[in-house]
Amino acid sequence: MSPRILDEQSLRDREQLIIDVAIALIESLGVENLTMDKVIAKVPFSKGTVYKHFIGKEDLVLAISNYAINILADLFWRAAQFEGCARERMLLLNFSYLIYAVLYPALFQTVICGKSPNVYGKSSEKRLQEQEQLEFKLLGAIHGIVEDALANKSLTLPENMDIQQICFANWSMAYGTISLLSGETEQCSGRTALVVERELFNQNNLLFDGLKWSPLAQEKEYSTALKTALAKVFTKELKSLHEKGRDLNF
Amino acid sequence: MSPRILDEQSLRDREQLIIDVAIALIESLGVENLTMDKVIAKVPFSKGTVYKHFIGKEDLVLAISNYAINILADLFWRAAQFEGCARERMLLLNFSYLIYAVLYPALFQTVICGKSPNVYGKSSEKRLQEQEQLEFKLLGAIHGIVEDALANKSLTLPENMDIQQICFANWSMAYGTISLLSGETEQCSGRTALVVERELFNQNNLLFDGLKWSPLAQEKEYSTALKTALAKVFTKELKSLHEKGRDLNF
DNA sequence: TCTATTATTGACGAAACGTCACTGACGAAT
DNA sequence: ATTCGTCAGTGACGTTTCGTCAATAATAGA
């Protein structure tokens, strides 16, 4: 009368397997050519089983996006914990975002896709809530750094702005820069092309100087400080970048 | 021996008609539910004819996106021509971007969709070039303002930054802010929600102060200046916003 | 009127989607 | 051991959407 054979853990494993297969497909074909049939063909389960996990293609894409955000959250966390002044850590955090975008282009691409109405309009409520949760976690890392800065007086809130707004300012700055510039890796010309890491560095300085977040750019060599911090916190990631022939240059 | 019946102008008209129908569909159903068959059903041409204009669904979406960018370019142009100090005009231009996002959500949504690999990966080369062209035009308006500011010394280039980089800084700031916040119009809570126009105003001040672009925020009442400029340059648009019950509040 | 050329059509096959009736596996009850 | 009830898993199938192409209509000159 009660033949329950479902195992919570193996369900998770299976879901992750499907996600992994889908990511591999995205890496080789691009998100635009991802189809459920292709995923199902590469997975040891049938269509019905896959559709038990994801209500549709878009839901799968959003699941991948969530997985990707999780990875990013880990990077943010590590950056936030670096021992250094707050402004320095925030710069590091923003660069971890960039590292992520360069290192996992397929994931970054998928996250962008997840922002498309095309996708979130057809996803399950559960998955959407999960996304919200994860983004909250991301902002949490940023929030922590700003609080530290306020606590030690290196930063004071401008009139008419609260912490949340400072966090948002930082987030949207990094988001705008990276999403507009990332992906344009191979500029063919020799002219003054926009290099994403340089622009990101500039914009950090501009925004933080605008906030009068001390030490100001002219008072501290953030360039070298950032290099040190990156080498310490993101050793492995920098190595991966190097192997990709994509050393950061700012 | 030469029965050419193709008329350049009517071809354009027809293409625009298809685009208009598609926009109407997007407004009522959302981009995610746009299908070629639905478009074709509402248009006085057959499938083959429609496919003569657009190589596929994604190509149509990109065409709509381009149409949308054109409208935005017009707003930018008008903002850039306002008689006022350069920093003020730039602020106005960024707000015209916001007005656009609020006034034509379907178009804005479609432009975002056009950024998705899903779409641009399947569009015609011609359409992609057109897009590049149009975005160049957008940046041109920004460029002009910065040049004026440099010419009258209200702004000086920071070390290691050129005009293009200043333009980009502004663009990515506005893009990040609006794309992250726009669409979250109905925050259910009464707490300090992020209101897009307020954040946009803040970020303008932060960025421009960071650039030491005079007059600084503390030296000039940009809030009232912006209100005046908006009323003068975007009278019609403000009225439309008001009718939508969405007055700007910063 | 005839013809050469091009525009337009919509039926059609392919591809992808998502469903659902069926199979089978397992535990409990007899 | 057998029966039975329940649920995981299957994949064939109907549907939707896509995009093509062979056939048809339209046009202007000969």
Side-chain angles (χ1 to χ4, degrees):
Chain A
M1 268 225 252
S2 54
R4 305 215 164 146
I5 341 170
L6 93 174
D7 173 1
E8 193 62 31
Q9 182 55 41
S10 58
L11 271 188
R12 271 187 225 287
D13 290 350
R14 197 169 58 182
E15 186 156 317
Q16 189 57 47
L17 175 57
I18 298 172
I19 289 177
D20 289 341
V21 165
I23 291 175
L25 282 171
I26 292 176
E27 276 167 358
S28 58
L29 306 173
V31 211
E32 68 271 20
N33 294 313
L34 181 75
T35 72
M36 286 307 244
D37 285 352
K38 284 176 196 161
V39 173
I40 288 150
K42 289 218 166 198
V43 130
F45 323 115
S46 75
K47 196 165 245 194
T49 303
V50 171
Y51 272 90
K52 195 143 250 171
H53 288 275
F54 310 98
I55 65 171
K57 178 185 166 179
E58 289 76 15
D59 199 45
L60 171 58
V61 170
L62 197 57
I64 297 172
S65 166
N66 285 345
Y67 169 73
I69 296 177
N70 238 322
I71 292 179
L72 179 59
D74 173 58
L75 296 185
F76 273 21
W77 193 246
R78 284 159 60 195
Q81 285 185 318
F82 175 68
E83 75 290 354
C85 73
R87 179 166 164 167
E88 196 178 348
R89 282 186 287 148
M90 190 66 98
L91 178 63
L92 182 63
L93 180 143
N94 287 331
F95 263 76
S96 78
Y97 195 11
L98 172 59
I99 288 174
Y100 167 81
V102 176
L103 221 46
Y104 312 110
L107 294 184
F108 188 70
Q109 189 190 31
T110 307
V111 173
I112 293 177
C113 262
K115 299 291 175 193
S116 155
N118 234 313
V119 171
Y120 66 67
K122 293 182 181 172
S123 292
S124 65
E125 199 52 42
K126 170 199 162 200
R127 207 77 62 179
L128 286 166
Q129 283 174 3
E130 193 187 359
Q131 189 191 37
E132 204 175 341
Q133 198 84 13
L134 286 166
E135 287 180 346
F136 186 76
K137 191 172 160 191
L138 283 185
L139 276 176
I142 299 176
H143 210 272
I145 296 178
V146 174
E147 275 174 345
D148 290 349
L150 292 174
N152 72 19
K153 311 279 189 193
S154 64
L155 173 67
T156 21
L157 285 178
E159 273 190 280
N160 307 321
M161 284 187 80
D162 58 22
I163 297 192
Q164 197 192 3
Q165 293 172 296
I166 302 280
C167 292
F168 177 74
N170 180 76
W171 175 256
S172 68
M173 177 269 293
Y175 174 79
T177 308
I178 295 174
S179 70
L180 285 177
L181 278 188
S182 176
E184 312 201 5
T185 351
E186 48 260 18
Q187 289 278 11
C188 54
S189 64
R191 68 191 181 81
T192 329
L194 294 171
V195 181
V196 58
E197 55 262 36
R198 186 157 25 111
E199 301 318 319
L200 184 60
F201 186 74
N202 283 333
Q203 307 235 26
N204 267 270
N205 284 335
L206 292 178
L207 176 62
F208 298 157
D209 277 1
L211 284 166
K212 302 194 183 62
W213 190 343
S214 68
L216 297 179
Q218 62 199 29
E219 302 163 353
K220 176 163 179 170
E221 271 291 322
Y222 282 105
S223 171
T224 55
L226 175 59
K227 276 176 188 130
T228 318
L230 282 171
K232 176 144 189 193
V233 181
F234 296 112
T235 324
K236 210 175 55 184
E237 284 76 11
L238 283 188
K239 201 179 154 211
S240 299
L241 282 176
H242 181 72
E243 281 160 6
K244 271 199 150 194
R246 182 65 178 78
D247 297 280
L248 296 183
N249 177 22
F250 49 91
Chain B
M1 265 225 252
S2 53
R4 303 213 165 153
I5 339 168
L6 94 175
D7 172 1
E8 193 63 30
Q9 182 54 41
S10 60
L11 271 188
R12 272 186 226 286
D13 290 349
R14 196 167 60 179
E15 187 155 317
Q16 188 57 47
L17 174 58
I18 299 172
I19 289 177
D20 288 341
V21 166
I23 290 175
L25 282 170
I26 291 175
E27 276 166 359
S28 58
L29 307 172
V31 210
E32 68 271 21
N33 294 313
L34 182 74
T35 70
M36 288 305 246
D37 285 351
K38 284 176 195 159
V39 172
I40 288 150
K42 289 218 165 197
V43 129
F45 322 115
S46 75
K47 194 165 250 195
T49 303
V50 171
Y51 272 91
K52 195 144 252 171
H53 288 275
F54 310 98
I55 65 170
K57 179 185 166 179
E58 288 76 15
D59 198 45
L60 171 59
V61 170
L62 198 57
I64 297 172
S65 167
N66 285 345
Y67 170 73
I69 295 177
N70 238 323
I71 292 179
L72 179 59
D74 173 58
L75 296 185
F76 273 21
W77 192 245
R78 283 159 61 196
Q81 286 186 319
F82 176 67
E83 76 291 355
C85 74
R87 179 167 163 166
E88 198 178 347
R89 283 187 286 147
M90 190 65 98
L91 178 63
L92 181 63
L93 179 143
N94 287 331
F95 264 75
S96 78
Y97 194 11
L98 172 59
I99 289 175
Y100 167 81
V102 175
L103 220 47
Y104 312 109
L107 294 184
F108 188 69
Q109 190 190 29
T110 307
V111 173
I112 293 178
C113 261
K115 298 293 175 191
S116 154
N118 235 315
V119 172
Y120 66 67
K122 293 182 183 172
S123 291
S124 65
E125 199 53 40
K126 169 199 163 200
R127 207 77 62 180
L128 285 166
Q129 282 173 5
E130 192 187 0
Q131 189 191 36
E132 205 176 341
Q133 199 83 12
L134 285 166
E135 287 180 346
F136 186 77
K137 190 172 161 191
L138 283 185
L139 276 176
I142 300 177
H143 210 273
I145 297 178
V146 174
E147 276 174 345
D148 289 350
L150 291 174
N152 72 17
K153 312 278 190 192
S154 65
L155 173 67
T156 21
L157 286 178
E159 275 190 278
N160 308 320
M161 282 188 80
D162 58 22
I163 297 191
Q164 196 192 4
Q165 291 173 297
I166 302 280
C167 292
F168 177 75
N170 179 75
W171 175 256
S172 68
M173 178 269 291
Y175 173 79
T177 309
I178 295 174
S179 70
L180 285 176
L181 278 187
S182 176
E184 311 201 5
T185 352
E186 47 260 17
Q187 290 279 11
C188 53
S189 65
R191 67 190 182 82
T192 328
L194 294 171
V195 181
V196 58
E197 55 264 35
R198 185 153 29 108
E199 301 318 320
L200 184 60
F201 185 74
N202 282 333
Q203 307 234 26
N204 267 270
N205 284 335
L206 291 178
L207 176 63
F208 297 157
D209 278 0
L211 285 166
K212 302 192 182 63
W213 189 344
S214 68
L216 297 178
Q218 62 198 31
E219 302 164 352
K220 176 162 181 171
E221 271 290 323
Y222 281 107
S223 171
T224 55
L226 175 59
K227 275 175 189 130
T228 318
L230 282 171
K232 177 143 191 192
V233 181
F234 296 112
T235 324
K236 210 174 55 183
E237 284 76 11
L238 284 188
K239 201 177 155 213
S240 299
L241 281 176
H242 182 72
E243 282 161 6
K244 271 199 149 194
R246 182 65 178 79
D247 296 281
L248 295 184
N249 177 22
F250 50 91

